[in-house]
């Protein structure tokens, strides 16, 4: 799924007909999402056609991805359905190394002939680009895994749930918000299923079935007299789960400040929308923040985005090397800083882990898109930078001979490249709850949910907002705040982390739309953490008059 | 078959409309050939081409509609697509806001969006452009990273009420970042065009190289309110944020265009009276399609005239609710320039900052259109009429509305590329150099 398609589907696009775009896939009846067009035997035959063609045409390495990408989006507003779209995109991408250079081609002609032709094109591109090659591709070794499979451990396939049931739930959330004072309420449910078959000349044939789900809403409250409007977005997270995420369980519900709830591995959209309407009304008349230094108590559904921008991105090796210099940028986290073994990225409380296997996360797969078995590894240990995020053709630059397994392509017709794995802050080891954390703060702000975010091209200076802000005075939450954003510098911020709550508070934040590359590709990624405290962070007031 | 002629497109669409058994249908037929080349570390990293033509069918029964698309064009595939759209329409819930398609419209002439030269771009051309960009970097001890993408294609629509429209277009986007090998300087330059013959990759790259060399060893100055001279890419990135002038959101009270007590700010003077922004599909520099995606006629339209909000955009449904004529989202935006040269802007500045571009611009408060972001790839301190030295990048928190109230001078117009890639929001964007007082920089960044 591409971001602009999401924008179009979600009805946020401007002008034009509400037709789904071909990039997303062809619209299909909902039942068609449960079909399986090819058996693994057929996929293996097609894959072998590509690999054999590559070998006989001079490729020293080849991989092939036969992908079927299914999406269903339901968008609603107040008491009506705006759009229900089910899409399918099916095709093959072939990547080769010839003359020491990468080449890639794709086709939606999933036949032996179509796949052979795409392979020949990939080889021709590799040979043409080899003229500009200064460093031949060097791949870290990967064992051939033979014929293996992996599936997201879902309990209920969301594509099997009748559309009418999902619509009813979303309209129920809108109704809950409207009955509690919202002027407008819109809600959406996005469901994704990537059926990916990967094969390579290393001897792997990997069949994977990946599921993701994301319920979300926006509730708006308007005060006509003052001309003010405020919105409150959902406290849900996109998850690597099935429809079980939509069935609320008490054990997944954590109490937040002032009657608010936060959610772990299941979500109550109606309850959250109801609370959201009440909160949005409260925000309209909340106190505007006094700028200055505050101790921040950041809950996981907020902190996840800060982790994403200030840790996940700067530690991408391709970016550090300059491959993203013309777009996303480079990084302050240099090879020298890593090699020194002493670069204090954060305080001793900061342990950051990369993990492509975490159950329920968006990034979890068995194998990445170049056939590497996924794993977990340390990025920051006791505050010290210890590793980056790297794939097969670059990990040797770190003096390592094993890929980290974080290669991904958004579709069969896009070339795979290094993407951010799930990057998470480890929970504190001592028992410590978020309620205790608030009690220990004298002058602070508790921030929940994602908001505005911006960071420079080398990932030093950032500014974040949030969904809701609560003022803490002498260990008590005294009320909501408005116009809050905090600014800091990555290293300074992570060194101001003085405490992380224990694992009982641990939850995941997620994003469907991490963007990178030219042409741009999106990737879905989660970031887990427990609530954490950062001392003396600079808070600005964002209120203005126009 | 990526670029079909008007006649070829119409023939296919007429065949498809004849398969329809619904109350009616709207069809789109679009195609494009696209190519790109990407380079980094003074070497090509990826290159590719793709080609596709897609038919979209939206069928309706009463207020129930369904859509299907396909990229196969034999009769059986076309008919199957129509049947699929009709099946989906029958299953869909009623949409009370559904609007029947428009009848035939009279468009105001052929567009200028197509260039033969761009249509002829080859992989060799792209490789040469990359080489022309990389080659001047190497002897200057600078590393090039860049991206060139081009597209040639057509758009057409036809519906069961008899409307037909066709347009063909080409586009070129070229961006290049040059970084000095000591890591202390970075420069950027970009071009957004319809006609590739106007691109000189070597000249554009040399601008980025000069900026990189000039921006080495930047000094920190205190954040605060500064007079700024914004190059068109920087100014355009903020101006485009004002151009989503959606009437419905304004009427609903959830837009910066909503008025205290109800209603909208249409007709109110909101920025400096020298601010004139309009849309014109036939502008030579930023041509746009003469029709909107749903077939409405696009014409020259004022957005801000003498600083006054002149128009809001009404979709067809909302126009019926408000008893006004629908007003489609425009295909481009042009801001009038002035006669002050960049040199004179600098000469007349006692203390200020010259900004090449902004980066990572994100909304902070939709109520006031407050945005945050950073300067990037060439930020310079001006003192007593001269560029004194490069400075470290700043984070800003600013609203384009406040910015355009603090206008000091306007210069030459340039077609812009937005900082996160692609042409200006809603289409081509023609923006002048701008001098602005009291622009809010709120913190420093160490990023180069």
């Amino acid at each position: 799924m591409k971001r602009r398609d999401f924008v179009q589907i979600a009805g946020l696009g401007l002008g034009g007909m509400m037709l789904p775009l071909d990039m997303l896939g062809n619209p299909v009846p909902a039942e068609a999402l449960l079909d399986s067009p090819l058996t693994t035997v057929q996929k293996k035959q097609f894959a072998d056609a590509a690999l054999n063609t590559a070998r006989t045409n001079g490729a020293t390495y080849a991989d092939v991805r036969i992908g079927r990408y299914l999406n269903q989006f339901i968008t609603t507003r107040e008491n009506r359905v705006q759009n229900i779209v089910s899409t399918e995109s099916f095709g093959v991408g072939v990547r080769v190394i010839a003359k020491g250079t990468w080449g890639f081609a794709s086709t939606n002609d999933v036949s032996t002939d179509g796949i052979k032709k795409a392979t020949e094109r990939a080889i021709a591109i590799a040979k043409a680009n080899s003229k500009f090659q200064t460093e031949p591709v060097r791949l870290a070794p990967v064992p051939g895994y033979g014929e293996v499979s992996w599936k997201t451990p879902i309990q209920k396939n969301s594509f099997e749930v009748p559309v009418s049931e999902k619509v009813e739930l979303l309209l129920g959330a809108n109704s809950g918000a409207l009955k509690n004072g919202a002027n407008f309420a819109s809600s959406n449910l996005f469901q994704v299923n990537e059926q990916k078959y990967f094969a390579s000349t290393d001897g792997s044939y990997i069949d994977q079935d990946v599921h993701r789900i994301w319920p979300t809403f926006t509730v708006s409250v308007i005060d006509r007299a003052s001309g003010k409007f405020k919105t409150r977005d959902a406290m849900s997270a996109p998850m690597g789960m099935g429809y079980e995420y939509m069935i609320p369980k008490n054990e997944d519900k954590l109490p937040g400040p002032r009657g608010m709830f936060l959610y772990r591995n299941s979500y109550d959209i109606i309850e959250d929308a109801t609370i959201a309407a009440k909160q949005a009304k409260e925000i309209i008349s909340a106190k505007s923040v006094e700028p200055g230094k505050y101790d921040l108590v950041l809950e996981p559904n907020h902190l996840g985005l800060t982790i994403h921008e200030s840790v996940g991105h700067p530690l991408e090796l391709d970016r550090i090397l300059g491959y993203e210099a013309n777009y996303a940028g480079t990084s302050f986290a240099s090879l020298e800083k890593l090699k020194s073994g002493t670069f204090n990225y954060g305080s001793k409380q900061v342990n950051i882990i990369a993990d492509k296997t975490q159950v329920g996360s968006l990034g979890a797969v068995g194998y990445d898109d170049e056939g590497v078995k996924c794993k977990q590894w340390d990025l920051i240990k006791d505050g010290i930078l210890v590793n980056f995020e790297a794939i097969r053709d670059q990990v040797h630059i770190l003096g390592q001979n094993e890929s980290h397994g974080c290669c991904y392509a958004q579709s069969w017709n896009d070339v795979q490249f290094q993407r951010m794995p799930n990057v998470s802050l480890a929970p504190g080891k001592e028992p410590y709850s978020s309620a205790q954390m608030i009690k220990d703060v004298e002058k602070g702000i508790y921030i929940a949910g994602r908001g505005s975010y911006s960071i420079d091209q080398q990932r030093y200076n950032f500014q974040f907002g949030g969904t809701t802000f609560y003022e803490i005075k002498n260990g008590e939450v005294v009320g909501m705040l408005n116009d809050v954003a905090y600014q800091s510098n990555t290293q300074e911020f992570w060194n101001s982390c003085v405490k992380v709550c224990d694992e009982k508070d641990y939850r995941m934040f997620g994003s469907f739309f991490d963007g990178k590359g030219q042409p741009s590709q999106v990737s879905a990624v989660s970031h887990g953490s427990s609530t954490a405290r950062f001392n003396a962070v600079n808070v600005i007031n964002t209120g203005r008059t126009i | 078959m990526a670029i079909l002629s008007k006649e070829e497109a119409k023939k296919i669409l007429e065949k498809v409309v004849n398969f329809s058994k619904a109350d009616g249908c709207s069809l789109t037929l679009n195609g494009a050939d696209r190519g790109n080349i990407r380079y980094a570390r003074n070497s090509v990293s990826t290159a590719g081409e793709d080609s596709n033509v897609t038919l979209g069918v939206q069928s309706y029964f009463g207020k129930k509609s369904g859509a299907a698309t396909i990229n196969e064009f034999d009769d059986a595939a076309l008919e199957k697509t129509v049947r699929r759209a009709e099946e989906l329409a029958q299953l869909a819930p009623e949409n009370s806001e559904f609007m029947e398609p428009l009848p035939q419209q009279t468009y105001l002439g052929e567009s200028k969006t197509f260039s033969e030269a761009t249509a002829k771009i080859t992989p060799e051309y792209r490789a040469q452009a990359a080489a022309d960009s990389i080659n001047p970097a190497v002897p200057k001890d600078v590393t090039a990273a860049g991206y060139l993408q081009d597209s040639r294609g057509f758009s057409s629509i036809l519906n069961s009420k008899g409307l037909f429209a066709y347009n063909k277009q080409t586009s070129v986007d070229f961006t290049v970042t040059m970084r000095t090998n000591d890591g202390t300087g970075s420069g950027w330059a970009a071009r957004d065009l319809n006609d590739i013959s106007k691109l000189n990759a070597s000249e554009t790259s040399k601008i980025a190289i000069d900026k990189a060399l000039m921006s080495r060893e930047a000094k920190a100055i205190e954040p605060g309110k500064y007079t700024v001279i914004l190059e068109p890419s920087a100014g355009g990135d903020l101006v485009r944020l004002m151009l989503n002038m959606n009437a419905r959101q304004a009427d609903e009270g959830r837009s910066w265009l909503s008025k205290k007590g109800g209603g909208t700010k249409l007709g109110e003077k909101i920025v400096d009276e020298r601010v004139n922004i309009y849309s014109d599909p036939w502008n030579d520099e930023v041509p746009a399609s003469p029709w909107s995606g749903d077939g409405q006629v696009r014409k020259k339209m004022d957005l801000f005239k003498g600083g006054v909000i002149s128009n809001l955009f009404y979709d067809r449904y909302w126009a019926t609710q408000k008893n006004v004529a629908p007003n489609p989202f425009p295909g481009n935006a042009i801001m009038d320039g002035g006669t002050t040269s960049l040199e004179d802007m600098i000469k007349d500045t006692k203390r200020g900052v010259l900004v090449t571009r902004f980066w990572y611009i994100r909304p902070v408060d939709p109520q006031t259109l407050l945005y945050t972001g950073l300067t990037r790839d060439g930020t310079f301190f001006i003192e007593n009429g001269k560029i004194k030295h490069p400075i470290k990048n700043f984070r800003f928190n600013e609203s384009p509305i406040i910015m355009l109230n603090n206008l000091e001078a306007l210069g030459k117009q340039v077609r812009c590329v937005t900082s996160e890639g692609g042409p200006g929001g809603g289409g081509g964007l023609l923006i002048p150099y701008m001098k602005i007082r009291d622009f809010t920089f709120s913190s420093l960044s160490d990023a180069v």
Side-chain angles (χ1 to χ4, degrees):
Chain A
M1 180 171 45
K2 300 185 179 182
R3 193 176 184 283
R4 64 173 185 195
D5 302 330
F6 160 78
V7 168
Q8 184 92 359
I9 292 288
L12 307 167
L14 300 159
M17 280 199 284
M18 281 290 286
L19 282 178
L21 304 176
D22 66 300
M23 303 295 282
L24 194 66
N26 295 322
V28 292
E31 315 83 76
L33 298 175
L34 299 171
D35 297 344
S36 184
L38 289 180
T39 64
T40 45
V41 173
Q42 288 169 309
K43 287 181 204 169
K44 184 169 186 297
Q45 283 169 355
F46 285 136
D48 280 333
L51 302 180
N52 291 333
T53 304
R55 282 191 194 99
T56 53
N57 284 278
T60 53
Y61 168 85
D63 60 39
V64 52
R65 290 176 297 116
I66 303 172
R68 186 164 176 254
Y69 294 76
L70 306 173
N71 299 292
Q72 187 179 75
F73 312 106
I74 304 173
T75 60
T76 74
R77 182 187 161 154
E78 286 87 56
N79 61 355
R80 63 190 181 84
V81 175
Q82 285 181 293
N83 216 355
I84 302 171
V85 184
S86 300
T87 70
E88 172 184 353
S89 171
F90 183 46
V92 182
V94 184
R95 188 176 66 150
V96 301
I97 299 174
K99 291 196 166 181
T101 306
W102 283 121
F104 174 79
S106 64
T107 180
N108 61 355
D109 178 2
V110 187
S111 66
T112 305
D113 193 42
I115 290 167
K116 277 185 178 171
K117 280 184 183 153
T119 309
E120 286 161 6
R121 268 195 293 135
I123 289 171
I125 289 169
K127 287 180 177 169
N129 285 349
S130 69
K131 288 177 212 157
F132 296 95
Q133 178 64 264
T134 48
E135 298 167 76
V137 179
R138 192 170 138 195
L139 289 183
V142 170
Y145 294 107
E147 291 186 51
V148 291
S149 65
W150 187 89
K151 186 178 166 100
T152 306
I154 57 170
Q155 290 160 26
K156 194 171 189 178
N157 184 346
S158 57
F159 292 108
E160 288 173 4
V161 177
V163 170
S164 55
E165 191 178 323
K166 300 177 211 178
V167 164
E168 197 182 325
L169 186 60
L170 294 180
L171 294 181
N174 295 353
S175 162
L178 294 170
K179 277 185 204 150
N180 284 280
N183 296 85
F184 300 98
S186 57
S187 56
N188 309 311
L189 181 64
F190 306 102
Q191 304 138 87
V192 174
N193 177 205
E194 294 182 357
Q195 299 171 4
K196 305 195 283 195
Y197 187 83
F198 171 91
S200 77
T201 47
D202 289 325
S204 289
Y205 295 89
I206 301 165
D207 200 19
Q208 300 196 92
D209 185 21
V210 183
H211 290 257
R212 302 188 193 108
I213 190 163
W214 180 22
T216 187
F217 64 74
T218 299
V219 160
S220 306
V221 168
I222 288 148
D223 178 13
R224 291 274 185 192
S226 68
K228 279 188 182 174
F229 62 93
K230 290 289 173 190
T231 59
R232 203 292 224 159
D233 290 347
M235 290 291 170
S236 59
M239 298 290 283
M241 294 180 74
Y243 201 71
E244 64 275 10
Y245 184 63
M246 303 302 294
I247 302 161
K249 291 177 201 70
N250 270 337
E251 66 264 29
D252 286 324
K253 213 160 94 171
L254 288 92
R258 300 202 157 200
M260 173 178 182
F261 288 107
L262 302 154
Y263 303 92
R264 197 177 356 237
N265 292 323
S266 66
Y267 177 54
D268 191 334
I269 191 170
I270 294 176
E271 176 184 75
D272 192 25
T274 302
I275 295 169
K278 294 175 188 166
Q279 283 188 331
K281 279 171 71 180
E282 199 181 338
I283 295 169
I284 284 244
S285 51
K287 177 179 145 188
S288 191
V289 71
E290 187 68 36
K293 301 270 184 194
Y294 288 84
D295 293 348
L296 300 183
V297 177
L298 305 179
E299 70 85 33
N301 214 352
H302 169 84
L303 185 55
L305 189 52
T306 310
I307 295 170
H308 177 91
E309 300 288 5
S310 68
V311 184
H313 277 307
L315 302 189
E316 293 174 307
L317 181 59
D318 60 345
R319 169 177 192 129
I320 291 160
L321 296 172
Y323 285 99
E324 294 291 326
N326 186 48
Y327 182 54
T330 56
S331 178
F332 76 92
S334 60
L335 291 170
E336 292 70 32
K337 283 180 177 135
L338 175 66
K339 278 176 196 156
S340 75
T342 58
F343 182 71
N344 66 322
Y345 208 106
S347 66
K348 286 208 181 319
Q349 281 67 36
V350 177
N351 286 286
I352 303 256
I353 296 155
D355 190 350
K356 286 285 292 175
T357 64
Q358 194 170 6
V359 174
S361 71
L362 295 169
V365 282
Y367 305 82
D368 76 354
D369 280 351
E370 55 181 1
V372 176
K373 194 166 189 176
C374 289
K375 63 174 184 180
Q376 185 190 90
W377 69 103
D378 290 326
L379 294 172
I380 298 167
K381 193 138 182 71
D382 300 327
I384 302 293
L385 175 66
V386 294
N387 210 343
F388 289 147
E389 305 152 19
I391 58 171
R392 288 190 72 185
D393 62 356
Q394 288 174 354
V395 77
H396 66 89
I397 293 164
L398 300 176
Q400 300 171 25
N401 62 1
E402 189 185 297
S403 164
H404 299 157
C406 52
C407 190
Y408 176 79
Q410 68 177 3
S411 179
W412 54 268
N413 58 354
D414 293 288
V415 68
Q416 58 270 60
F417 69 131
Q418 192 272 313
R419 299 311 304 261
M420 191 193 300
N422 302 308
V423 171
S424 300
L425 174 68
K429 290 187 182 108
E430 294 161 23
Y432 193 62
S433 69
S434 61
Q436 283 172 293
M437 185 175 274
I438 289 169
K439 271 196 187 124
D440 291 341
V441 171
E442 212 172 294
K443 181 198 173 196
I445 301 171
Y446 176 96
I447 306 180
R450 64 182 287 170
S452 179
Y453 58 101
S454 172
I455 189 163
D456 69 47
Q457 76 276 12
Q458 289 192 309
R459 307 271 149 176
Y460 288 102
N461 172 305
F462 59 69
Q463 178 175 317
F464 287 95
T467 306
T468 55
F469 310 95
Y470 292 91
E471 185 175 18
I472 305 169
K473 266 189 183 165
N474 302 319
E476 297 284 335
V477 169
V478 294
M480 289 189 106
L481 286 174
N482 243 330
D483 308 323
V484 178
Y486 62 94
Q487 285 185 352
S488 190
N489 169 292
T490 295
Q491 193 182 6
E492 188 183 309
F493 176 78
W494 286 103
N495 273 285
S496 75
C497 179
V498 291
K499 201 90 178 163
V500 183
C501 290
D502 64 38
E503 61 187 7
K504 285 186 196 150
D505 191 59
Y506 188 90
R507 310 186 286 286
M508 276 186 278
F509 159 92
S511 169
F512 266 26
F513 301 117
D514 176 28
K516 186 177 169 186
Q518 288 176 307
S520 184
Q521 290 190 43
V522 295
S523 159
V525 62
S526 293
H527 303 287
S529 74
S530 300
T531 304
R533 175 175 168 181
F534 297 82
N535 275 1
V537 180
N538 186 35
V539 169
I540 62 163
N541 182 301
T542 62
R544 297 286 191 279
T545 308
I546 58 168
Chain B
M1 68 181 281
I3 303 185
L4 298 179
S5 69
K6 191 174 187 174
E7 293 69 33
E8 288 166 331
K10 193 172 186 192
K11 200 172 156 192
I12 292 176
L13 290 168
E14 281 174 343
K15 189 192 283 180
V16 177
V17 83
N18 284 329
F19 287 128
S20 173
K21 292 177 183 170
D23 291 352
C25 65
S26 296
L27 312 175
T28 59
L29 184 63
N30 301 320
D33 287 331
R34 292 177 299 189
N36 66 70
I37 193 161
R38 190 181 199 205
Y39 52 98
R41 291 161 63 96
N42 287 344
S43 179
V44 171
S45 51
T46 55
E49 284 189 347
D50 70 87
S51 173
N52 206 358
V53 179
T54 302
L55 170 74
V57 179
Q58 187 179 42
S59 297
Y60 64 93
F61 296 92
K63 286 192 173 293
K64 293 165 29 153
S65 75
T69 69
I70 198 154
N71 53 5
E72 298 163 53
F73 289 90
D74 59 82
D75 286 3
L78 297 177
E79 185 167 6
K80 182 181 83 181
T81 310
V82 175
R83 293 289 93 80
R84 183 172 269 180
E86 289 171 353
E87 282 163 26
L88 288 169
Q90 297 281 22
L91 292 170
E94 271 205 359
N95 181 354
S96 55
E97 298 187 2
F98 177 78
M99 299 293 292
E100 284 196 10
L102 284 170
Q104 180 62 54
Q105 306 286 300
T106 305
Y107 301 113
L108 309 175
E110 293 290 322
S111 82
K112 300 174 179 175
T113 52
F114 187 81
S115 143
E116 285 295 340
T118 306
K120 289 179 187 154
I121 292 180
T122 60
E124 289 72 27
Y125 176 92
R126 289 181 211 112
Q128 190 56 51
D132 289 347
S133 180
I134 294 166
N135 290 341
V138 178
K140 301 272 189 185
D141 206 18
V142 164
T143 297
Y147 182 64
L148 171 68
Q149 65 173 1
D150 54 84
S151 156
R152 66 239 69 160
F154 74 98
S155 312
S156 58
I157 54 175
L158 185 142
N159 68 34
S160 52
K161 303 266 185 186
L163 179 142
F164 173 71
Y166 174 90
N167 189 51
K168 59 180 183 172
Q169 59 276 329
T170 51
S171 71
V172 180
D173 286 294
F174 176 62
T175 52
V176 59
T177 303
M178 296 287 183
R179 293 179 62 80
T180 59
N181 291 336
D182 63 3
T184 68
S186 184
W188 178 83
R191 292 288 177 266
D192 173 41
L193 302 161
N194 290 74
D195 181 358
I196 191 74
S197 61
K198 293 182 183 169
L199 176 68
N200 185 329
S202 176
E203 287 302 314
T204 307
S205 300
K206 281 176 191 158
I207 294 170
I209 291 171
D210 288 346
K211 285 237 160 117
L213 296 172
M214 281 169 65
S215 67
R216 279 177 300 184
E217 291 165 19
K219 295 175 187 168
I221 62 169
E222 279 299 306
K225 285 190 187 290
Y226 283 89
T227 292
V228 289
I229 296 171
L230 304 180
E231 291 202 12
S233 279
D237 259 337
L238 292 182
V239 168
R240 74 184 167 86
L241 302 169
M242 303 160 58
L243 303 181
N244 178 14
M245 300 165 76
N246 182 302
R248 183 170 184 170
Q249 280 179 350
D251 284 321
E252 288 176 344
R254 43 179 172 164
S255 157
W256 67 276
L257 292 158
S258 306
K259 205 165 150 178
K260 195 173 166 179
T264 74
K265 292 178 182 167
L266 181 65
E268 284 188 13
K269 181 174 172 297
I270 194 144
V271 287
D272 188 282
E273 60 272 7
R274 285 168 291 172
V275 175
N276 295 306
I277 304 175
Y278 61 97
S279 171
D280 179 4
W282 291 275
N283 182 281
D284 285 328
E285 284 299 313
V286 284
S289 171
W291 46 273
S292 66
D294 60 352
Q296 293 189 66
V297 178
R298 278 200 183 129
K299 42 196 159 189
K300 192 171 170 182
M301 166 171 59
D302 285 325
L303 305 176
F304 295 84
K305 180 88 181 160
V308 173
I309 298 172
S310 314
N311 268 297
L312 299 179
F313 313 142
Y314 289 84
D315 64 35
R316 291 177 55 222
Y317 168 75
W318 198 245
T320 62
Q321 300 302 298
K322 291 285 157 186
N323 254 331
V324 297
N327 196 13
F329 198 85
N332 63 4
I334 298 138
M335 181 170 172
D336 277 348
T339 52
T340 316
S341 68
L342 175 62
E343 292 70 26
D344 284 344
M345 282 186 190
I346 294 169
K347 219 166 91 185
D348 294 343
T349 302
K350 196 156 183 262
R351 197 165 182 272
V353 175
L354 173 65
V355 179
T356 297
R357 69 181 291 212
F358 290 129
W359 171 247
Y360 221 125
I361 302 164
R362 291 293 182 275
V364 177
D365 187 354
Q367 181 102 51
T368 57
L369 271 194
L370 185 73
Y371 280 79
T372 189
L374 298 114
T375 62
R376 179 175 172 178
D377 299 324
T379 311
F380 303 96
F381 183 58
I382 302 166
E383 199 173 44
N384 298 324
K386 283 186 181 145
I387 292 181
K388 290 290 278 190
H389 53 77
I391 51 171
K392 286 199 170 192
N393 285 305
F394 277 127
R395 169 172 297 288
F396 71 82
N397 274 271
E398 192 56 279
S399 163
I401 307 301
I402 295 171
M403 172 182 101
L404 289 183
N405 269 292
N406 293 340
L407 185 64
E408 294 269 299
L410 291 166
K412 192 182 130 191
Q413 296 164 303
V414 177
R415 181 165 166 173
C416 296
V417 175
T418 60
S419 77
E420 291 184 44
L429 203 55
L430 196 59
I431 298 289
Y433 283 81
M434 279 183 258
K435 184 171 164 183
I436 307 284
R437 64 180 177 276
D438 291 335
F439 191 90
T440 311
F441 289 123
S442 49
S443 58
L444 274 171
S445 158
D446 288 325
V448 174

